[in-house]
Amino acid sequence: MERPAWAPRSIDISVPSVSRIYDYYLGGSHNFEVDREAARKAMTHLPGLPKIMQANRAFMRRAVRHAVGTGIDQFLDIGSGIPTFGNVHEVAQAAHPGARVVYVDHDPVAVAHSNAVLTGNEDADVVAADLRKPQEILSSPQVERLIDLNRPVALLLVAILHFVEDADDPYGAVAQLRDALAPGSLLVLTHASYEGIPLPAERAEGAVDVYKDIRNPLIMRSRDEIARFFEGYDMVEPGLVPMPHWRPESAPEDEDPYAFAGFAGVGIAA
């Protein structure tokens, strides 16, 4: 398999990557056949996966515009993935020129491509780090340069927490990040769940097994379990809801049924 110029030498291009599979679902080009094969296998069990990912992205853009509307001009996007059209910095800086954005990901392809996309953008940067180690993120030179933790920040955890197993204490990591943020900060979150999937859970489990097979377990949590991530935050209306129901810009009933799989919410730190 020939290695494209955008693929860092350090990565094993024979092993599927969650970031590159996500990129494939969104119609991107930064993925390999091994990623596409895993994605197609997951889609045999859960054919609406691309629609779910598109709903994630659409919610993210609405939430970023909401954050700017409340006066927030700095964004910390953890688990940001491979940049695609309509990424956080594009939405935020279009709504508020000079808005500052730091992306965080541990996938080398996501980091390398983010660096390329952000060339010349002095108000955005990327950190190679892991959500499970919040202090490394908070103390990184990029965060220290661009993010003033004494002012409100929008913390984005979009489609990332369902890849953190309970043994790695995702609730503790989110709490550490919350405690570092100023009052008025926002938590913007989406999470996969069997609730809302227009299929029997037993069939959807087949897609979950694909992620388990590539050693990136997909943890499907209940709405109540997802709500626990918002401890210490007051929920912004309409609360924790299926993605198309969070401040929609078009009629939710026109959405694909798969868009309602999983939950989205925004909380404001007291």
Side-chain angles (χ1 to χ4, degrees), residues 234-255:
D234 296 324
M235 295 302 295
V236 171
E237 289 294 331
L240 185 61
V241 294
M243 292 174 284
H245 285 305
W246 198 90
R247 305 198 175 197
E249 295 171 348
S250 58
E253 55 267 26
D254 294 337
E255 292 282 354

Side-chain angles (χ1 to χ4, degrees), residues 3 6-15 17 20 32 107-109:
R3 182 183 298 270
W6 52 261
R9 303 297 305 178
S10 59
I11 69 167
D12 184 348
I13 61 176
S14 68
V15 176
S17 150
R20 298 194 308 265
F32 304 119
D107 184 306
V109 171

Side-chain angles (χ1 to χ4, degrees), residues 11 44 79 126-127 141 169 174 196 202:
I11 69 167
T44 63
V126 60
V127 180
D169 192 18
V174 174
E202 310 80 66

Side-chain angles (χ1 to χ4, degrees), residues 7 84 174 212 261 270:
T84 57
V174 174
K212 191 183 300 181

Side-chain angles (χ1 to χ4, degrees), residues 172-193:
V174 174
Q176 282 187 57
L177 291 164
R178 177 200 65 212
D179 292 346
L181 301 181
S185 293
L186 297 181
L187 172 60
V188 177
L189 182 153
T190 66
H191 198 297
S193 177

Side-chain angles (χ1 to χ4, degrees), residues 111-180:
V111 173
H113 195 50
S114 296
N115 271 318
V117 166
L118 298 175
T119 298
N121 189 331
E122 292 299 316
D123 294 318
D125 210 337
V126 60
V127 180
D130 194 312
L131 169 61
R132 293 170 293 186
K133 298 177 179 179
Q135 199 50 50
E136 290 185 9
I137 296 170
L138 296 168
S139 62
S140 67
Q142 296 91 331
V143 169
E144 290 185 347
R145 179 175 75 86
L146 288 174
I147 304 294
D148 179 359
L149 293 174
N150 294 310
R151 297 195 301 110
V153 176
L155 169 63
L156 284 82
L157 300 175
V158 175
I160 178 64
L161 285 164
H162 46 236
F163 291 114
V164 184
E165 298 180 81
D166 288 341
D168 289 322
D169 192 18
Y171 296 103
V174 174
Q176 282 187 57
L177 291 164
R178 177 200 65 212
D179 292 346

Side-chain angles (χ1 to χ4, degrees), residues 209-228:
D209 288 342
V210 171
Y211 284 91
K212 191 183 300 181
D213 289 345
I214 65 171
R215 297 184 177 86
N216 280 282
L218 179 59
I219 313 302
M220 305 289 268
R221 295 187 172 97
S222 69
R223 185 184 183 281
D224 287 345
E225 289 171 326
I226 297 166
R228 282 183 53 202

